[in-house]
């Protein structure tokens, strides 16, 4: 069943690709080049706009397991090295979900070395995206709980569809948001709002996320990607990209340096936390509760 859902998700993404290419050609815009180094990602680069779209297609919900995390990071680094690309749209090819966050199967009854490799990959993805030299915009076209929210907040700008949830809900299933999750949240919405949402692990709707500054715009679903493209183009128009990146690093550098400096300690903390029997019990109960939910 899961394989069938993945196939549907990727098939839908390919059909959307084709329709976008035709639309571009009809408007006289240089056709987008499509490349895909992974079946879980669809990458589109437009030579005219200098914007690349990175579409997650790891069906059914873009769970962040280690292989997919590493694929995302590699794709980001490849796009950053491409001098024809100035901007990036991060979005989803799966209906109703931007990303459901970490794949908890990675840390249920795991081997310590596997947990360590998983968390190292997640650290690397965040450092790459949050400090990217590209102008980054998240086109949040579905739910974005937990690490899905982290991906969105790590971009420079966020456009979200209405009536979807977003937020860091780790405390709901027995996890603790690491310091760099917290730093990112505080940098995005402020200290007090971060406390009010992180302590109870609250997921909020798009409209509330706009009020607290977790997203920058809420637009109809069919306009999310177009709006993101407009905002991305505006973000580097008339701007020196090197100066823009150095400014980004100046603002975000303290949070990134905190992780880089304490990376080994953060890895060991996560391994110890994930291997703790209490944590394992919380995770097992949470996964059982998910399985017991009626299928929609």
């Amino acid at each position: 069943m899961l394989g069938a859902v993945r196939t549907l998700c990727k098939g839908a993404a390919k059909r959307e690709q084709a329709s976008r290419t035709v639309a571009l050609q009809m408007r006289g815009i240089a056709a987008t080049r499509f490349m895909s180094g992974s079946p879980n990602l669809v990458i589109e680069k437009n030579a005219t706009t200098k914007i690349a779209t990175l579409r997650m297609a790891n069906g059914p919900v873009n769970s962040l397991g280690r292989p997919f995390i590493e694929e995302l990071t590699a794709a980001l680094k490849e796009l950053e090295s491409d001098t024809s690309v100035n901007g990036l749209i991060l979005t989803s090819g799966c209906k109703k979900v931007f990303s459901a966050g970490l794949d908890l199967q990675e840390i249920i009854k795991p081997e310590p070395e596997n947990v360590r490799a998983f968390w190292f990959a997640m650290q690397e993805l965040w450092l790459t995206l949050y400090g990217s030299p590209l102008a980054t915009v998240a086109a949040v076209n579905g739910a974005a709980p937990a690490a899905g929210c982290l991906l969105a907040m790590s971009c420079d700008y966020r456009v979200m569809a209405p009536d979807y949830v977003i937020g860091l809900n780790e405390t709901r299933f027995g996890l603790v948001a690491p310091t760099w999750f917290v730093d990112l949240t505080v940098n995005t919405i402020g200290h007090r709002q971060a406390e009010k949402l992180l302590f109870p692990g609250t997921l909020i709707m798009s409209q509330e996320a706009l009020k607290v500054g977790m997203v920058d715009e809420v637009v109809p679903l069919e306009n999310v990607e177009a709006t993101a493209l407009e905002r991305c183009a505006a973000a580097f128009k008339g701007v020196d990209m090197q100066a823009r990146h150095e400014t980004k690093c100046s603002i975000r550098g303290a949070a990134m340096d905190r992780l880089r400096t304490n990376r080994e300690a953060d890895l060991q903390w996560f391994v110890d936390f994930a291997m703790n029997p209490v944590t394992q019990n919380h995770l097992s109960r949470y996964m059982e509760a998910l399985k017991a939910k009626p299928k929609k």
Side-chain angles (χ1 to χ4, degrees), residues 119 168 170-171 175-182 185 198 266 269 273:
W119 200 241
L168 297 175
E170 279 75 4
T171 58
L175 294 183
V176 176
T179 54
W180 42 287
F181 279 48
V182 175
T185 308
L198 287 173
D266 183 72
W269 166 80
F273 182 78

Side-chain angles (χ1 to χ4, degrees), residues 44-245:
E44 309 162 13
K45 293 198 292 186
N46 189 290
T48 302
T49 63
K50 296 187 176 182
I51 296 173
T53 299
L54 180 54
R55 196 176 309 280
M56 299 178 286
N58 184 33
V61 293
N62 288 325
S63 293
L64 297 171
R66 179 184 163 195
F68 186 49
I69 291 169
E70 291 174 344
E71 289 169 1
L72 273 172
T73 304
L76 286 168
K77 290 181 177 180
E78 181 178 342
L79 290 170
E80 288 173 0
S81 68
D82 189 335
T83 56
S84 71
V85 176
N86 284 346
L88 171 73
I89 306 299
L90 179 64
T91 193
S92 171
C94 296
K95 289 185 177 181
K96 298 184 179 181
V97 180
F98 178 71
S99 170
L102 300 180
D103 184 351
L104 297 181
Q105 295 295 342
E106 292 272 6
I107 54 175
I108 292 179
K109 299 179 181 178
E111 293 297 326
E113 60 270 23
N114 293 338
V115 178
R116 184 181 181 84
F118 167 68
W119 200 241
F120 183 89
M122 192 63 204
Q123 291 175 333
E124 190 67 18
L125 173 59
W126 181 69
L127 289 169
T128 302
L129 181 57
Y130 196 49
S132 177
L134 302 175
T136 58
V137 178
V140 186
N141 52 354
C149 176
L150 181 89
L151 290 180
M153 289 197 298
S154 298
C155 293
D156 305 342
Y157 198 88
R158 290 159 292 283
V159 181
M160 191 171 184
D163 304 318
Y164 286 112
V165 295
I166 187 170
L168 297 175
N169 62 330
E170 279 75 4
T171 58
R172 295 281 178 168
F173 45 90
L175 294 183
V176 176
T179 54
W180 42 287
F181 279 48
V182 175
D183 288 343
L184 172 64
T185 308
V186 170
N187 286 354
T188 305
I189 64 174
H191 192 280
R192 182 57 183 146
Q193 287 292 347
E195 287 187 339
K196 290 168 71 175
L197 294 178
L198 287 173
F199 290 172
T202 303
L203 294 177
I204 56 178
M205 302 300 292
S206 315
Q207 293 84 342
E208 182 64 22
L210 179 62
K211 291 179 182 177
V212 301
M214 189 169 280
V215 302
D216 298 292
E217 287 185 70
V218 174
V219 302
L221 177 61
E222 62 271 19
N223 297 336
V224 167
E225 196 167 330
T227 302
L229 286 164
E230 290 176 7
R231 302 298 176 261
C232 190
F236 61 80
K237 183 179 181 180
V239 175
D240 180 87
M241 291 301 292
Q242 180 62 33
R244 186 185 189 280
H245 184 223

